[in-house]
Amino acid sequence: MSVAALLHWLTGASPTAAECAPASGTHSGEFTALWADHEIGIRYTDEKRMLHPELGSMKLHCQMLLDPDQSQSLLVYTATPGTQDYEKLQLLSVIGNQSLSV
């Protein structure tokens, strides 16, 4: 899902979103083309690659939970159990933002 598609979706919840995107003048030519397509769609699941500075690359599943009344979304990241990505995510849940270097 593109940012333009999400902004089009938000237009229903907040008319100011429709006014802000094309009026900002700071978007790229690519954004202008996407906005003109008027694509409206929400992808609730996706696969993301995250690069952690100490643990390296992780392939994670991402779910988006939407609250259209509040124009908010919550992203939930999970990994397939038994994979290295799962182990890295478990480690992050323990160490948080602590550094692993000595």
Side-chain angles (χ1 to χ4, degrees):
M1 171 182 58
S2 69
V3 172
L6 182 58
L7 286 175
H8 274 298
W9 177 79
L10 287 173
T11 300
S14 170
T16 56
E19 297 165 5
C20 292
S24 70
T26 60
H27 41 51
S28 67
E30 180 184 10
F31 181 88
T32 303
L34 289 169
W35 185 262
D37 286 345
H38 199 74
E39 173 190 339
I40 300 174
I42 304 294
R43 289 176 58 186
Y44 294 100
T45 61
D46 203 359
E47 190 172 275
K48 306 275 187 187
R49 288 215 176 262
M50 302 284 187
L51 181 59
H52 188 273
E54 295 190 42
L55 300 179
S57 179
M58 294 182 284
K59 185 170 78 173
L60 303 174
H61 305 287
C62 176
Q63 284 186 291
M64 181 170 37
L65 308 174
L66 295 172
D67 181 356
D69 294 334
Q70 299 295 321
S71 298
Q72 296 178 352
S73 62
L74 172 68
L75 300 177
V76 179
Y77 294 97
T78 58
T80 304
T83 64
Q84 285 185 344
D85 299 323
Y86 181 83
E87 298 299 323
K88 290 177 183 181
L89 201 55
Q90 292 297 311
L91 181 57
L92 281 175
S93 72
V94 174
I95 64 169
N97 62 358
Q98 298 177 48
S99 175
L100 296 177
S101 57
V102 179

